[in-house]
Amino acid sequence: MPQKRKKNGIGRTVGLIFLAFASLALIIKALMHGHNIALFNSKGMIAYDERNLIIFTAVVLLSVALPTLFVLFFTAWRYRESNSKATHNPNAVHNKLLVPAIWLIPTACMLVLALVMWPATHRLEPQKQIDESVEPLTIQVVSTRWKWLFIYPEQNIATVNFVQLPVNTPVEFELTADDAPMSSFWIPNLSGQLYTMTGMVNRLNLMATVAGDYPGSSAEINGAGFAEMKFTARASSRADFDQWVQQTKQSPKVLDAAAYSALLKPSENNPPAFYAATESGLYDTVVMRYMGPSDGHPNHSHGHHE
Amino acid sequence: MVKEHETENHEAQADDRVAFGFWVYLMTDLLMFAVLFATFAVLRGNTFGGPALRELFSLPLALTETLILLTSSFTAGLGMLAVRRGSKNQVLTWFGITFLLGLAFLGFELKEFAEFIHEGHTWQSSASLSSFFTLVGTHGLHITSGLLWMGTTLVFIWKRGLNSHLVRKLTLLSLFWHFLDIVWIFIFTVVYLMAYV
Amino acid sequence: MKEILLGKLNGHALPHEWFTIGGTVAFVLLALFAVIVLTWTKRWTWLWKEWLTSVDPKKIGIMYFLVAGFMLLRGGLDAIMIWLQQALSSGASHGYLSADHFQQIFTAHGNIMVFFVAMGFVFGLINYIVPLQIGARDLASPFLNTLGFWLYIGGVIMVNMFFALGGEYAATGWLAIAPLSETQFSPGVGVDYWIWSLQISGIGTTLGGINFVMTILKMRAKGMTLWKMPMFTWGSLCSMLMVITVFPLLTATLFLLFLDRYFGMHFFTTGSGGNAMMYTNLIWMWGHPEVYILVLPAFGVFSEVVSAFSRKRLASYKSQVAGLIGVTVFALSVWLHHFFTMGAGADVNAFFGVMTMVIAIPTSVLVFGWIATMYKGRIRFTTPMLWFLGFIATFSLGGLAGVMLAVPPADFQLHNSLFLVAHFHTMVIGGVLFGIFCGINYWFPKIAGFRLNERIGRYSFWFWIVGFFVAFVPLYVLGLMGATRRLDHYDASTGWQPLFIMSFIGGLIIMVGVALQVVQIIASVIQKRQLRDTTGDPWDGRTLEWATASPPPFYNFAVIPEVTTRDAYFEIKQNGGLPKPKYEDIRMPRNTAAGIYVAAFAFIASFAFVWHINWLAIAGIVGVILCLIIRTFNEDTEYTITAAEVEKLEERRQKKHAAAKPPEDAEDMGLWEFIKIVVTWALDVIRNKRWRTW
């Protein structure tokens, strides 16, 4: 079929493509400006480590992929039909080194990544304590429909849709859910996410390094109120944290069984709430409720996730 | 002469193809059972406070069912030998016995289910019982389909005689029947015997 | 009494919201239009005899294309609605959709695109092309083929049925993760429609998988060993082997969820010992291989296209095949990477991370193989080659994102974010969809007898690729900003809205690309005489399908050629062309309506399961069994065409071919020319009231 090839057609096309990519990049950069690029705006130790891993992986992959793409597009251009300068050999038998090369290059790349990824995965395992020698501050989390309940067992206070923690202090979140589908507990500025499931306790360890207010949300769909299931995580100095705990203990509200039942009722956009005291063993009751009938004796051998 | 040979060749190729395709189907059925077995393995202990399965099972009953099914596989094998000999009456006899044994197997299984339900242990009671009823029940449904297949094929053989088309059918059916027997062996082992381990 | 008769059906199930009324009306109008056209042109018998009851894989393939194309528009409409909602719903504004409705839309969008668009197009291509490539006349089981197609149609109807009855679809995401999909949290019929539309079309897919595996392994032309098969056939074989391995897992898992919902069982419930994590594992053990099922035939297409348009045989054929097999095998070992964040522990997570990286290796090998094929080739930049280059540009970058996601601690931040959404759309659009478009442009002359308009094809490609980058690069960025997927609303303070708007604009550009593809087809039909393929081999192809006429006769080959090498047809051409045919009797399968009847009863049973109408479910099952018994005990399913008849048919075809006028050598129509022709035609019709003579 007839194909008109304008002079310098390829040059123009390549130029246009570069221009398009450049404009795309510039527009996006402008739109991003001034906002919380949460995954790169790390305010906690774990998030910072995860961020570096993301960047490292991207750099390694791009260093192999970009040259490959360049070679591919260059080859396609050079051996185009209209280029009489290029040799054409329809029965070319490839170089004996080709097959080992095309298997070894990607294997080497993946090997490098795997060698970094394996120890990183162990280092950044959410259940792993930040510092083996320091007992973390425990905060128990119950995801319900559609709000987050935080119980501080050591301080005997509780909050809804708000959590405060001291900077430079290892914190361990004990995650579970009640009367709700699976959710995912996520404060991207501080660390990666972890699922909350009924009858299970997942542990997420993190440590904030910069004071501030950080958005938290559910990263897993759990019903109509999913998008509104947001909370604020406030990292503050130790002194401010202690003061806040004392303040909360003055709250008129108490998280007794009745208040908890009210929380279980589906609701969206709950404003932050503060409870001066919690029913003892509430969290454990919530978790154990899924192990066996509430009246009978608990079941043996239940593969429950720790 | 050449035409006959071509038809025979065509038939043989078709036979080979259909048998191969049926094996592939059996593998997909096996994978489906694998999911049910895996689910049972994970959930068998989740009785949510209820009795463990070993407290409900009757091993003699399970053993009886196993022996019935094994015998039926044997009689099906005898039926296939009769097919090779071209003896229509023997085919009907041996597969007829297989059919009755299959019915007996189903009868015992339904009896076991009825007892559990009567005592209040239904598939709604717990994950453990859900997975038990589903795994064993699905096998029972397969046996039922096999019996339906067997019954209709025997009726057609009785009316049309042993033609190549029906012989092919019977071959696939016997493959199916042996397959179900093997799955039952796994059920007997994993569900019943291992409950006592 | 009413409950026994109608189950959960009642008046409230009838459409009473704007979108259910709108959807019902739209489908009813479409159906009415079809009925009117068929009646006016007296084509009912023709439709039934020539198409609906046909077992010819060429016809079934075309029907798959048409339905998949229609579903592409349906799913694309969902996409526009999603884009629009997310572009609007910032801060005080909550857009125009309720949260629940929005969640139903993206669930339907995902299901439709994966099950009915991608699978439909892939099955269409495999049906049409594979028998031609291996020198077969039909698939191993023509009955299973038509049954599989009609089960697919049953799924298509079921996924749209909620508009007319029930008013809701699943609002759980495309895989309906438990326990959100259990009755406790999804009490309506939406999830039940979800279960059964996937279940019946899934069983259809499994039957198709068995059929294609049988065909490829047992019905190749004499001399075509496995190592001589074309790459598209290899891609299809690997894909179908995966289908038969993992679709039974989906069937079983959907069955278990159904048991929970219908019979009150406790596999995945929150209480009574249920284990929802089990569902996540089972559904992804199917779900991950599924995406490779879709992409392997696309890889096959690209290998064919690169080789054909480089005028060079495929470099490192063995490595490419090993690459396909490698992907197939390892696809079964990576499923946990979809839920690193569920908390399985570092050892498990790291293992699956490594396995996921391993898959990147055979995929890269394929890319290097394509480069080596182009090296010292003589490349023609036809539309299929453009789609290949577009695939490379997008798929490789999406693949990089994938390897990033394969690092568990990185995934802890990226899971369920828009980065993930951008990644998988890059893979499915850049890989599967571009592969399908490439394949359709490549094989269109074979299927229709004339090739597609190249000019408008190029325009559609550029709109697609520009639109794709404008739509999805912002989503990668949004993911890095911490934006979660599936949100119907977000705070203005996040600053995400401009990027969502940009993504929406990209979506509009893509829609222009889609419109141009439709225009391309219409323009090609208008110009079909000059685009006609007279030789059967318009691209100077290398594989056997190019050895037939365009379109091929219903028996594909009058005489099945003998094969001695790879690139069988290229070899035949080098040796002076096909030998003089020695005609033989051909046995062909008869058309049958059995597939339609079985699928119809299966649909009835599924519908009954959705609405808890027990008697109807039993009736449906009984119907399926009866129809299967009638069909399988039918011994007269084939007929013979004698050698003399074949010779006559061939002579008639060749005479017609020789008498046809040679195509004029003119340029492919451009867009402006197309618009002028359409406007002129429309004005002519109106002025001269031409509808009176239709």
Side-chain angles (χ1 to χ4, degrees), chain C residues 230-244:
Chain C
M231 286 304 290
F232 179 68
T233 304
W234 264 115
S236 306
L237 176 64
C238 291
S239 170
M240 293 300 118
L241 283 172
M242 258 207 293
V243 163
I244 61 180

Side-chain angles (χ1 to χ4, degrees), chain A residues 168-238:
Chain A
N168 297 321
T169 311
V171 173
E172 181 173 81
F173 287 101
E174 293 182 358
L175 306 170
T176 193
D178 196 7
D179 196 29
M182 291 190 199
S183 299
S184 183
F185 180 77
W186 195 31
I187 313 171
N189 289 99
L190 295 184
S191 106
Q193 62 188 277
L194 197 56
Y195 275 20
T196 66
M197 300 173 278
T198 52
M200 313 259 173
V201 178
N202 260 342
R203 296 175 198 284
L204 178 64
N205 283 271
L206 57 81
M207 185 169 83
T209 49
V210 178
D213 280 3
Y214 308 117
S217 62
S218 170
E220 171 72 18
I221 184 175
N222 51 24
F226 159 58
E228 309 303 331
M229 196 163 156
K230 299 183 280 244
F231 66 95
T232 306
R234 175 168 295 164
S236 68
S237 67
R238 185 85 219 188

Side-chain angles (χ1 to χ4, degrees), chain C residues 42 49 66 84 198 214 237 311 353 410 536-537 548 579 661 670:
Chain C
K42 297 199 189 27
K49 278 219 181 99
L66 292 172
L84 189 57
L198 267 54
M214 274 203 283
L237 176 64
R311 293 197 199 280
D537 183 18
T548 60
K661 275 197 287 206

Side-chain angles (χ1 to χ4, degrees), chain A residues 3 72-73 75-77 79-80, chain C residues 301-311 370-371 373-375 377-393 434 437-439 441-442 454 458 461-462 465 539:
Chain A
Q3 244 186 332
L72 189 142
F73 285 106
T75 309
W77 170 74
Y79 291 99
R80 67 194 184 285
Chain C
V301 171
F302 291 126
S303 292
E304 302 269 353
V305 162
V306 170
S307 168
F309 291 109
S310 303
R311 293 197 199 280
W370 292 322
I371 299 177
T373 307
M374 288 194 289
Y375 180 69
R378 223 175 73 211
I379 306 170
R380 297 166 284 162
F381 287 101
T382 53
T383 310
M385 260 323 248
L386 279 182
W387 284 113
F388 164 70
L389 292 173
F391 151 77
I392 292 289
F434 284 12
F437 294 156
C438 179
N441 271 276
Y442 179 54
E454 280 284 307
R458 282 200 288 276
F461 164 74
W462 284 111
I465 194 129
W539 310 117

Side-chain angles (χ1 to χ4, degrees), chain C residues 348-359:
Chain C
V348 173
N349 279 354
F351 169 78
F352 278 96
V354 170
M355 295 314 292
T356 310
M357 289 181 183
V358 166
I359 277 213

Side-chain angles (χ1 to χ4, degrees), chain A residues 3-306:
Chain A
Q3 244 186 332
K4 288 219 183 87
R5 275 254 152 259
K6 300 200 183 89
K7 228 165 154 206
N8 283 325
I10 277 296
R12 236 179 51 157
T13 315
V14 171
L16 272 171
I17 293 177
F18 266 123
L19 194 63
F21 273 119
S23 358
L24 190 68
L26 283 171
I27 295 175
I28 291 182
K29 185 161 186 312
L31 295 175
M32 278 164 71
H33 182 71
H35 297 300
N36 178 19
I37 319 295
L39 267 65
F40 291 148
N41 204 6
S42 311
K43 307 290 187 192
M45 203 184 96
I46 301 287
Y48 185 67
D49 208 337
E50 286 166 351
R51 175 199 103 149
N52 291 341
L53 200 54
I54 292 176
I55 296 174
F56 172 78
T57 311
V59 167
V60 168
L61 290 169
L62 283 171
S63 65
V64 176
L66 287 179
T68 309
L69 288 178
F70 176 75
V71 168
L72 189 142
F73 285 106
F74 178 75
T75 309
W77 170 74
R78 185 174 153 79
Y79 291 99
R80 67 194 184 285
E81 194 171 33
S82 56
N83 183 10
S84 47
K85 283 183 268 172
T87 48
H88 169 58
N89 188 351
N91 295 317
V93 177
H94 51 79
N95 193 318
K96 283 218 182 349
L97 282 178
L98 176 75
V99 171
I102 66 180
W103 283 95
L104 282 176
I105 297 174
T107 309
C109 181
M110 293 303 135
L111 198 59
V112 164
L113 284 176
L115 286 173
V116 171
M117 181 267 286
W118 192 279
T121 305
H122 282 80
R123 188 175 70 242
L124 291 165
E125 166 57 26
Q127 318 181 61
K128 187 165 156 292
Q129 286 188 352
I130 302 285
D131 187 345
E132 293 297 324
S133 59
V134 173
E135 201 51 39
L137 167 68
T138 304
I139 304 178
Q140 295 165 334
V141 182
V142 181
S143 70
T144 64
R145 285 181 285 167
W146 284 283
K147 51 239 175 243
W148 297 94
L149 171 63
F150 298 93
I151 301 173
Y152 292 72
E154 291 146 20
Q155 290 78 6
N156 196 20
I157 56 171
T159 56
V160 168
N161 282 346
F162 178 87
V163 63
Q164 184 150 345
L165 40 106
V167 286
N168 297 321
T169 311
V171 173
E172 181 173 81
F173 287 101
E174 293 182 358
L175 306 170
T176 193
D178 196 7
D179 196 29
M182 291 190 199
S183 299
S184 183
F185 180 77
W186 195 31
I187 313 171
N189 289 99
L190 295 184
S191 106
Q193 62 188 277
L194 197 56
Y195 275 20
T196 66
M197 300 173 278
T198 52
M200 313 259 173
V201 178
N202 260 342
R203 296 175 198 284
L204 178 64
N205 283 271
L206 57 81
M207 185 169 83
T209 49
V210 178
D213 280 3
Y214 308 117
S217 62
S218 170
E220 171 72 18
I221 184 175
N222 51 24
F226 159 58
E228 309 303 331
M229 196 163 156
K230 299 183 280 244
F231 66 95
T232 306
R234 175 168 295 164
S236 68
S237 67
R238 185 85 219 188
D240 283 342
F241 172 74
D242 291 331
Q243 191 185 26
W244 172 79
V245 170
Q246 292 313 314
Q247 242 175 309
T248 310
K249 278 187 176 334
Q250 311 302 322
S251 163
K253 287 205 270 227
V254 166
L255 190 63
D256 54 14
Y260 184 74
S261 297
L263 276 181
L264 280 186
K265 289 207 198 69
S267 65
E268 298 176 33
N269 275 313
N270 288 50
F274 303 87
Y275 298 88
T278 61
E279 178 128 338
S280 88
L282 175 63
Y283 190 76
D284 290 331
T285 314
V286 164
V287 175
M288 292 309 288
R289 194 176 329 129
Y290 292 91
M291 308 298 192
S294 32
D295 50 351
H297 46 82
N299 176 31
H300 58 91
S301 71
H302 175 91
H304 105 74
H305 185 90
E306 278 283 63

Side-chain angles (χ1 to χ4, degrees), chain C residues 263-337:
Chain C
F263 290 104
M265 297 210 195
H266 290 289
F267 290 102
F268 315 119
T269 53
T270 55
S272 298
N275 189 337
M277 293 196 296
M278 187 85 202
Y279 181 92
T280 305
N281 272 277
L282 288 172
I283 203 79
W284 279 115
M285 282 170 86
W286 165 83
H288 190 84
E290 161 70 1
V291 307
Y292 288 103
I293 288 169
L294 296 177
V295 93
L296 285 172
F299 288 161
V301 171
F302 291 126
S303 292
E304 302 269 353
V305 162
V306 170
S307 168
F309 291 109
S310 303
R311 293 197 199 280
K312 191 160 161 278
R313 72 159 183 240
L314 196 68
S316 66
Y317 175 92
K318 288 214 172 102
S319 281
Q320 293 247 324
V321 171
L324 288 177
I325 296 177
V327 170
T328 310
V329 167
F330 286 112
L332 299 166
S333 66
V334 302
W335 77 88
L336 196 127
H337 70 226

